[in-house]
């Protein structure tokens, strides 16, 4: 019987009208059938401080437990001020601490994002990739995916109305599937 892989995904925006949430729905719909998805929520986390390292608050402990229960992580995020949205960076800080208990260590990971702008989160993704490198996540480096979002292409339920965009996103998710299988073959989790 073929294995099913669980992917935890982060939506980097807290906005109720997040285009990256729409993109996450599209990616889930276009992903290989043996991938299951669970959102890793970040909106209820307090701000990280090392003062909490000895006694994590329940929200942060739940985040770490949720990451520990998945096989891979997918970051679907906007770019804020040419960098990582604060809520997402805060979640990464919680998950990577306390020192020696980094939830992202050897975790298969991929980064993608949508923007209404022409450069489609490229600079923010580079900032996120640098942080994930420090966290020792096993990042998929290609294909890069900087999505120019248009409501003519994406509907709120994640339907993609442009065939070439759907083909690209399907190929991205297929490559992510292959990447996580390769990483987990060499570095099994749990």
């Amino acid at each position: 019987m073929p294995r099913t892989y669980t992917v935890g995904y982060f939506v980097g925006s807290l906005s109720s009208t997040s285009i990256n949430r729409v993109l996450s729905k599209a990616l889930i719909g276009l992903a290989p059938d043996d991938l299951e998805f669970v959102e890793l929520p970040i909106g209820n986390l307090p701000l990280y401080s090392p003062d909490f390292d000895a006694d994590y608050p329940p929200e942060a402990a739940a985040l770490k437990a949720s990451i520990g229960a998945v096989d891979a992580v997918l970051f679907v995020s906007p770019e804020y001020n040419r960098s990582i949205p604060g809520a997402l960076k805060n979640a990464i800080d919680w998950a990577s601490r306390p020192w020696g208990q980094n939830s992202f260590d050897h975790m298969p990971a991929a980064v993608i994002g949508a923007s209404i702008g022409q450069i489609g989160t490229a600079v923010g993704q580079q900032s996120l990739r640098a942080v994930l490198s420090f966290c020792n996540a096993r990042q998929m480096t290609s294909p890069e995916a900087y999505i120019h979002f248009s409501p003519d292409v994406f509907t709120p339920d994640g339907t993609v109305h442009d065939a070439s965009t759907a083909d690209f996103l399907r190929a991205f998710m297929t490559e992510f599937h292959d990447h996580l299988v390769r990483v987990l073959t060499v570095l099994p989790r749990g």
Side-chain angles (χ1 to χ4, degrees):
M1 181 173 179
R3 175 167 178 195
T4 299
Y5 298 94
T6 303
V7 175
Y9 68 98
F10 291 92
V11 176
S13 170
L14 300 182
S15 171
S16 62
T17 59
S18 169
I19 61 176
N20 282 278
R21 181 164 306 285
V22 173
L23 176 58
S24 73
K25 292 175 186 178
L27 294 168
I28 291 167
L30 296 168
D33 291 339
D34 60 345
L35 297 183
E36 294 179 350
F37 294 85
V38 59
E39 184 173 355
L40 302 170
I42 61 174
N44 64 345
L45 293 166
L47 292 176
Y48 172 74
S49 169
D51 294 345
F52 293 112
D53 281 358
D55 186 22
Y56 257 38
E59 302 88 352
L63 174 67
K64 287 181 74 71
S66 295
I67 295 169
V70 301
D71 297 303
V73 289
L74 176 64
F75 293 86
V76 186
S77 182
E79 172 179 301
Y80 287 179
N81 298 319
R82 299 286 190 251
S83 190
I84 307 165
L88 180 58
K89 179 61 168 65
N90 185 53
I92 293 168
D93 291 345
W94 278 114
S96 64
R97 300 287 188 208
W99 190 258
Q101 298 176 42
N102 172 14
S103 298
F104 298 115
D105 188 43
H106 295 305
M107 173 72 77
V111 175
I112 188 171
S115 170
I116 58 171
Q118 293 300 315
I119 62 171
T121 73
V123 181
Q125 285 189 40
Q126 292 307 311
S127 183
L128 177 54
R129 288 178 183 282
V131 171
L132 293 175
S133 291
F134 179 79
C135 291
N136 205 31
R138 300 301 174 205
Q139 297 179 65
M140 180 175 83
T141 56
S142 181
E144 294 178 314
Y146 314 117
I147 308 304
H148 177 222
F149 186 90
S150 167
D152 296 335
V153 175
F154 295 90
T155 59
D157 68 355
T159 302
V160 182
H161 290 290
D162 178 75
S164 65
T165 301
D167 289 345
F168 176 80
L169 295 175
R170 188 177 294 107
F172 178 89
M173 293 306 287
T174 299
E175 186 63 35
F176 179 48
H177 169 274
D178 295 348
H179 169 74
L180 73 88
V181 169
R182 285 190 298 270
V183 171
L184 293 172
T185 299
V186 176
L187 300 167
R189 297 194 50 80

